[in-house]
Amino acid sequence: MDSTMAAEGTPLKDTVEKLVEKARTNYESLSLSTACEAVLEIGNAGNSYMDQRAPSMLFKQGGVSAEAAAKDLVIILEVMRIIAVALSPIAPCLSLRIYSVDQFNSITWNDTKWGGPKGGQVMAQASPVFARIELNAENDVEEKVKDSKKKGKAKVKVEQPQAVAEA
């Protein structure tokens, strides 16, 4: 299913399109902070959509519910694609983690329009955009970072400030 068909009748699409226009206008007037806030609002709208729809629960129900969950994930994938394009002027390295190099080198602002993923399109294997941070039993922060040159994982421990540890 393509993202345009998946989003029919979904207010999220209209919200994203308005926020993309807000970001574009602010980029053009060099109000970079406000442009980034508009892009952050797109992410917040996508998070709210995921919370409301709960596609993981729908998948577990199977049948028609699983089809609805697949549709929801196509919509969220489209939101992520638009965020990557809209952030590319400010955070190109982050956008490259979402887009492939070939796609990234050819993107323009027109790529923020809804309708990117097409039905039947095969997606690349997903990988985390940000490292996962976990609290261990000793209240230390342990961050797992993938080393791009090695196939293993590095662990970085950061002591929490005393006030945080006691809270």
Side-chain angles (χ1 to χ4, degrees):
M1 172 180 306
D2 71 25
S3 62
T4 303
M5 287 176 42
E8 284 179 11
T10 304
L12 178 62
K13 179 182 179 223
D14 295 332
T15 300
V16 169
E17 288 173 340
K18 288 175 187 169
L19 291 169
V20 163
E21 183 57 27
K22 181 179 176 182
R24 185 191 63 76
T25 302
N26 283 294
Y27 274 132
E28 288 176 352
S29 66
L30 298 178
S31 299
L32 303 180
S33 179
T34 308
C36 289
E37 287 173 8
V39 177
L40 182 59
E41 287 180 55
I42 295 170
N44 290 338
N47 281 339
S48 292
Y49 182 82
M50 287 288 286
D51 289 344
Q52 291 168 0
R53 300 288 300 165
S56 60
M57 298 299 286
L58 293 174
F59 268 121
K60 291 176 185 175
Q61 294 172 9
V64 175
S65 295
E67 290 175 22
K71 178 179 141 182
D72 291 337
L73 293 179
V74 168
I75 290 169
I76 290 302
L77 180 63
E78 178 69 341
V79 170
M80 288 301 302
R81 185 192 67 77
I82 290 170
I83 289 171
V85 174
L87 281 180
S88 64
I90 298 295
C93 291
L94 175 62
S95 294
L96 267 171
R97 292 168 133 175
I98 299 169
Y99 258 92
S100 72
V101 175
D102 294 336
Q103 292 169 320
F104 182 78
N105 288 334
S106 64
I107 61 172
T108 67
W109 194 254
N110 286 333
D111 291 316
T112 58
K113 290 185 174 133
W114 197 278
K118 304 296 180 206
Q121 183 176 348
V122 178
M123 307 306 293
Q125 178 65 34
S127 61
V129 175
F130 297 104
R132 183 178 183 142
I133 298 174
E134 297 175 356
L135 290 177
N136 67 15
E138 299 168 1
N139 286 330
D140 291 339
V141 176
E142 190 175 289
E143 183 176 354
K144 297 177 183 177
V145 181
K146 277 192 173 180
D147 184 356
S148 60
K149 294 180 183 174
K150 298 177 188 173
K151 293 285 181 180
K153 291 183 180 177
K155 291 184 180 178
V156 178
K157 287 193 177 185
V158 179
E159 295 284 328
Q160 287 185 331
Q162 191 65 13
V164 173
E166 294 172 358

PDB file of all heavy atoms in Angstrom, residues 55-77:
ATOM      1  N   PRO A  55      -0.228   0.189  16.808  1.00  0.00           N
ATOM      2  CA  PRO A  55      -0.163  -0.870  15.795  1.00  0.00           C
ATOM      3  C   PRO A  55       0.389  -2.202  16.316  1.00  0.00           C
ATOM      4  O   PRO A  55      -0.007  -3.249  15.815  1.00  0.00           O
ATOM      5  CB  PRO A  55       0.728  -0.286  14.704  1.00  0.00           C
ATOM      6  CG  PRO A  55       1.417   0.868  15.311  1.00  0.00           C
ATOM      7  CD  PRO A  55       0.575   1.349  16.442  1.00  0.00           C
ATOM      8  N   SER A  56       1.238  -2.181  17.325  1.00  0.00           N
ATOM      9  CA  SER A  56       1.759  -3.463  17.835  1.00  0.00           C
ATOM     10  C   SER A  56       0.634  -4.303  18.420  1.00  0.00           C
ATOM     11  O   SER A  56       0.626  -5.533  18.260  1.00  0.00           O
ATOM     12  CB  SER A  56       2.862  -3.225  18.864  1.00  0.00           C
ATOM     13  OG  SER A  56       2.350  -2.485  19.954  1.00  0.00           O
ATOM     14  N   MET A  57      -0.317  -3.654  19.066  1.00  0.00           N
ATOM     15  CA  MET A  57      -1.470  -4.387  19.607  1.00  0.00           C
ATOM     16  C   MET A  57      -2.363  -4.903  18.481  1.00  0.00           C
ATOM     17  O   MET A  57      -2.891  -6.006  18.556  1.00  0.00           O
ATOM     18  CB  MET A  57      -2.285  -3.486  20.541  1.00  0.00           C
ATOM     19  CG  MET A  57      -1.501  -2.999  21.753  1.00  0.00           C
ATOM     20  SD  MET A  57      -0.929  -4.326  22.810  1.00  0.00           S
ATOM     21  CE  MET A  57      -2.465  -4.769  23.580  1.00  0.00           C
ATOM     22  N   LEU A  58      -2.521  -4.087  17.433  1.00  0.00           N
ATOM     23  CA  LEU A  58      -3.338  -4.501  16.297  1.00  0.00           C
ATOM     24  C   LEU A  58      -2.740  -5.719  15.592  1.00  0.00           C
ATOM     25  O   LEU A  58      -3.465  -6.612  15.175  1.00  0.00           O
ATOM     26  CB  LEU A  58      -3.515  -3.339  15.314  1.00  0.00           C
ATOM     27  CG  LEU A  58      -4.331  -2.140  15.813  1.00  0.00           C
ATOM     28  CD1 LEU A  58      -4.289  -1.012  14.799  1.00  0.00           C
ATOM     29  CD2 LEU A  58      -5.761  -2.555  16.109  1.00  0.00           C
ATOM     30  N   PHE A  59      -1.405  -5.740  15.445  1.00  0.00           N
ATOM     31  CA  PHE A  59      -0.751  -6.890  14.806  1.00  0.00           C
ATOM     32  C   PHE A  59      -1.036  -8.173  15.570  1.00  0.00           C
ATOM     33  O   PHE A  59      -1.270  -9.220  14.976  1.00  0.00           O
ATOM     34  CB  PHE A  59       0.761  -6.678  14.687  1.00  0.00           C
ATOM     35  CG  PHE A  59       1.186  -6.054  13.404  1.00  0.00           C
ATOM     36  CD1 PHE A  59       1.870  -4.853  13.407  1.00  0.00           C
ATOM     37  CD2 PHE A  59       0.923  -6.651  12.176  1.00  0.00           C
ATOM     38  CE1 PHE A  59       2.261  -4.269  12.220  1.00  0.00           C
ATOM     39  CE2 PHE A  59       1.313  -6.071  10.991  1.00  0.00           C
ATOM     40  CZ  PHE A  59       1.982  -4.869  11.006  1.00  0.00           C
ATOM     41  N   LYS A  60      -1.030  -8.085  16.883  1.00  0.00           N
ATOM     42  CA  LYS A  60      -1.273  -9.265  17.709  1.00  0.00           C
ATOM     43  C   LYS A  60      -2.680  -9.820  17.525  1.00  0.00           C
ATOM     44  O   LYS A  60      -2.911 -11.012  17.663  1.00  0.00           O
ATOM     45  CB  LYS A  60      -1.024  -8.943  19.177  1.00  0.00           C
ATOM     46  CG  LYS A  60       0.433  -8.693  19.495  1.00  0.00           C
ATOM     47  CD  LYS A  60       0.609  -8.283  20.939  1.00  0.00           C
ATOM     48  CE  LYS A  60       2.065  -7.918  21.203  1.00  0.00           C
ATOM     49  NZ  LYS A  60       2.250  -7.410  22.567  1.00  0.00           N
ATOM     50  N   GLN A  61      -3.638  -8.933  17.192  1.00  0.00           N
ATOM     51  CA  GLN A  61      -5.015  -9.366  16.993  1.00  0.00           C
ATOM     52  C   GLN A  61      -5.192 -10.109  15.669  1.00  0.00           C
ATOM     53  O   GLN A  61      -6.097 -10.910  15.525  1.00  0.00           O
ATOM     54  CB  GLN A  61      -5.962  -8.163  17.044  1.00  0.00           C
ATOM     55  CG  GLN A  61      -6.015  -7.515  18.395  1.00  0.00           C
ATOM     56  CD  GLN A  61      -6.814  -6.219  18.383  1.00  0.00           C
ATOM     57  OE1 GLN A  61      -7.462  -5.894  17.399  1.00  0.00           O
ATOM     58  NE2 GLN A  61      -6.747  -5.475  19.481  1.00  0.00           N
ATOM     59  N   GLY A  62      -4.304  -9.829  14.695  1.00  0.00           N
ATOM     60  CA  GLY A  62      -4.359 -10.511  13.403  1.00  0.00           C
ATOM     61  C   GLY A  62      -5.504 -10.043  12.526  1.00  0.00           C
ATOM     62  O   GLY A  62      -6.255  -9.135  12.869  1.00  0.00           O
ATOM     63  N   GLY A  63      -5.652 -10.671  11.363  1.00  0.00           N
ATOM     64  CA  GLY A  63      -6.742 -10.385  10.431  1.00  0.00           C
ATOM     65  C   GLY A  63      -6.817  -8.945   9.984  1.00  0.00           C
ATOM     66  O   GLY A  63      -5.809  -8.338   9.625  1.00  0.00           O
ATOM     67  N   VAL A  64      -8.017  -8.376  10.018  1.00  0.00           N
ATOM     68  CA  VAL A  64      -8.256  -6.996   9.579  1.00  0.00           C
ATOM     69  C   VAL A  64      -7.462  -6.017  10.444  1.00  0.00           C
ATOM     70  O   VAL A  64      -6.968  -4.997   9.953  1.00  0.00           O
ATOM     71  CB  VAL A  64      -9.770  -6.671   9.624  1.00  0.00           C
ATOM     72  CG1 VAL A  64     -10.041  -5.224   9.291  1.00  0.00           C
ATOM     73  CG2 VAL A  64     -10.539  -7.593   8.686  1.00  0.00           C
ATOM     74  N   SER A  65      -7.324  -6.327  11.715  1.00  0.00           N
ATOM     75  CA  SER A  65      -6.564  -5.459  12.623  1.00  0.00           C
ATOM     76  C   SER A  65      -5.101  -5.391  12.209  1.00  0.00           C
ATOM     77  O   SER A  65      -4.479  -4.334  12.273  1.00  0.00           O
ATOM     78  CB  SER A  65      -6.669  -5.963  14.062  1.00  0.00           C
ATOM     79  OG  SER A  65      -7.999  -5.872  14.518  1.00  0.00           O
ATOM     80  N   ALA A  66      -4.537  -6.522  11.770  1.00  0.00           N
ATOM     81  CA  ALA A  66      -3.147  -6.541  11.313  1.00  0.00           C
ATOM     82  C   ALA A  66      -2.982  -5.709  10.043  1.00  0.00           C
ATOM     83  O   ALA A  66      -1.963  -5.036   9.861  1.00  0.00           O
ATOM     84  CB  ALA A  66      -2.677  -7.971  11.077  1.00  0.00           C
ATOM     85  N   GLU A  67      -3.988  -5.742   9.178  1.00  0.00           N
ATOM     86  CA  GLU A  67      -3.946  -4.909   7.971  1.00  0.00           C
ATOM     87  C   GLU A  67      -3.982  -3.430   8.336  1.00  0.00           C
ATOM     88  O   GLU A  67      -3.279  -2.615   7.738  1.00  0.00           O
ATOM     89  CB  GLU A  67      -5.109  -5.254   7.040  1.00  0.00           C
ATOM     90  CG  GLU A  67      -4.975  -6.616   6.394  1.00  0.00           C
ATOM     91  CD  GLU A  67      -6.196  -6.983   5.562  1.00  0.00           C
ATOM     92  OE1 GLU A  67      -6.952  -6.077   5.144  1.00  0.00           O
ATOM     93  OE2 GLU A  67      -6.391  -8.188   5.330  1.00  0.00           O
ATOM     94  N   ALA A  68      -4.784  -3.069   9.325  1.00  0.00           N
ATOM     95  CA  ALA A  68      -4.844  -1.682   9.796  1.00  0.00           C
ATOM     96  C   ALA A  68      -3.506  -1.264  10.392  1.00  0.00           C
ATOM     97  O   ALA A  68      -3.040  -0.135  10.180  1.00  0.00           O
ATOM     98  CB  ALA A  68      -5.961  -1.518  10.824  1.00  0.00           C
ATOM     99  N   ALA A  69      -2.864  -2.176  11.118  1.00  0.00           N
ATOM    100  CA  ALA A  69      -1.556  -1.887  11.708  1.00  0.00           C
ATOM    101  C   ALA A  69      -0.518  -1.664  10.614  1.00  0.00           C
ATOM    102  O   ALA A  69       0.319  -0.761  10.727  1.00  0.00           O
ATOM    103  CB  ALA A  69      -1.127  -3.027  12.619  1.00  0.00           C
ATOM    104  N   ALA A  70      -0.556  -2.468   9.560  1.00  0.00           N
ATOM    105  CA  ALA A  70       0.384  -2.290   8.445  1.00  0.00           C
ATOM    106  C   ALA A  70       0.187  -0.919   7.805  1.00  0.00           C
ATOM    107  O   ALA A  70       1.159  -0.229   7.479  1.00  0.00           O
ATOM    108  CB  ALA A  70       0.188  -3.404   7.415  1.00  0.00           C
ATOM    109  N   LYS A  71      -1.057  -0.516   7.657  1.00  0.00           N
ATOM    110  CA  LYS A  71      -1.370   0.804   7.108  1.00  0.00           C
ATOM    111  C   LYS A  71      -0.802   1.899   8.014  1.00  0.00           C
ATOM    112  O   LYS A  71      -0.194   2.861   7.538  1.00  0.00           O
ATOM    113  CB  LYS A  71      -2.888   0.937   6.964  1.00  0.00           C
ATOM    114  CG  LYS A  71      -3.371   2.259   6.463  1.00  0.00           C
ATOM    115  CD  LYS A  71      -4.892   2.236   6.341  1.00  0.00           C
ATOM    116  CE  LYS A  71      -5.466   3.544   6.782  1.00  0.00           C
ATOM    117  NZ  LYS A  71      -6.910   3.603   6.735  1.00  0.00           N
ATOM    118  N   ASP A  72      -0.972   1.745   9.317  1.00  0.00           N
ATOM    119  CA  ASP A  72      -0.444   2.730  10.266  1.00  0.00           C
ATOM    120  C   ASP A  72       1.071   2.845  10.165  1.00  0.00           C
ATOM    121  O   ASP A  72       1.625   3.943  10.237  1.00  0.00           O
ATOM    122  CB  ASP A  72      -0.836   2.359  11.698  1.00  0.00           C
ATOM    123  CG  ASP A  72      -2.318   2.511  11.963  1.00  0.00           C
ATOM    124  OD1 ASP A  72      -2.981   3.288  11.245  1.00  0.00           O
ATOM    125  OD2 ASP A  72      -2.824   1.849  12.898  1.00  0.00           O
ATOM    126  N   LEU A  73       1.737   1.714   9.994  1.00  0.00           N
ATOM    127  CA  LEU A  73       3.195   1.746   9.895  1.00  0.00           C
ATOM    128  C   LEU A  73       3.666   2.408   8.606  1.00  0.00           C
ATOM    129  O   LEU A  73       4.698   3.087   8.589  1.00  0.00           O
ATOM    130  CB  LEU A  73       3.765   0.332  10.048  1.00  0.00           C
ATOM    131  CG  LEU A  73       3.582  -0.266  11.436  1.00  0.00           C
ATOM    132  CD1 LEU A  73       4.150  -1.674  11.485  1.00  0.00           C
ATOM    133  CD2 LEU A  73       4.219   0.601  12.513  1.00  0.00           C
ATOM    134  N   VAL A  74       2.917   2.243   7.527  1.00  0.00           N
ATOM    135  CA  VAL A  74       3.241   2.949   6.273  1.00  0.00           C
ATOM    136  C   VAL A  74       3.131   4.458   6.498  1.00  0.00           C
ATOM    137  O   VAL A  74       3.981   5.229   6.046  1.00  0.00           O
ATOM    138  CB  VAL A  74       2.318   2.487   5.120  1.00  0.00           C
ATOM    139  CG1 VAL A  74       2.429   3.407   3.907  1.00  0.00           C
ATOM    140  CG2 VAL A  74       2.643   1.055   4.730  1.00  0.00           C
ATOM    141  N   ILE A  75       2.106   4.870   7.212  1.00  0.00           N
ATOM    142  CA  ILE A  75       1.910   6.289   7.503  1.00  0.00           C
ATOM    143  C   ILE A  75       3.062   6.826   8.342  1.00  0.00           C
ATOM    144  O   ILE A  75       3.624   7.891   8.047  1.00  0.00           O
ATOM    145  CB  ILE A  75       0.551   6.508   8.207  1.00  0.00           C
ATOM    146  CG1 ILE A  75      -0.584   6.247   7.215  1.00  0.00           C
ATOM    147  CG2 ILE A  75       0.454   7.913   8.804  1.00  0.00           C
ATOM    148  CD1 ILE A  75      -1.966   6.165   7.836  1.00  0.00           C
ATOM    149  N   ILE A  76       3.463   6.091   9.366  1.00  0.00           N
ATOM    150  CA  ILE A  76       4.576   6.527  10.223  1.00  0.00           C
ATOM    151  C   ILE A  76       5.890   6.533   9.441  1.00  0.00           C
ATOM    152  O   ILE A  76       6.721   7.429   9.616  1.00  0.00           O
ATOM    153  CB  ILE A  76       4.669   5.644  11.487  1.00  0.00           C
ATOM    154  CG1 ILE A  76       3.477   5.924  12.397  1.00  0.00           C
ATOM    155  CG2 ILE A  76       5.978   5.861  12.228  1.00  0.00           C
ATOM    156  CD1 ILE A  76       3.326   7.377  12.849  1.00  0.00           C
ATOM    157  N   LEU A  77       6.091   5.573   8.583  1.00  0.00           N
ATOM    158  CA  LEU A  77       7.278   5.556   7.731  1.00  0.00           C
ATOM    159  C   LEU A  77       7.329   6.820   6.873  1.00  0.00           C
ATOM    160  O   LEU A  77       8.382   7.436   6.722  1.00  0.00           O
ATOM    161  CB  LEU A  77       7.272   4.305   6.845  1.00  0.00           C
ATOM    162  CG  LEU A  77       8.451   4.148   5.903  1.00  0.00           C
ATOM    163  CD1 LEU A  77       9.744   4.003   6.673  1.00  0.00           C
ATOM    164  CD2 LEU A  77       8.224   2.937   5.010  1.00  0.00           C
TER     165      LEU A  77
END
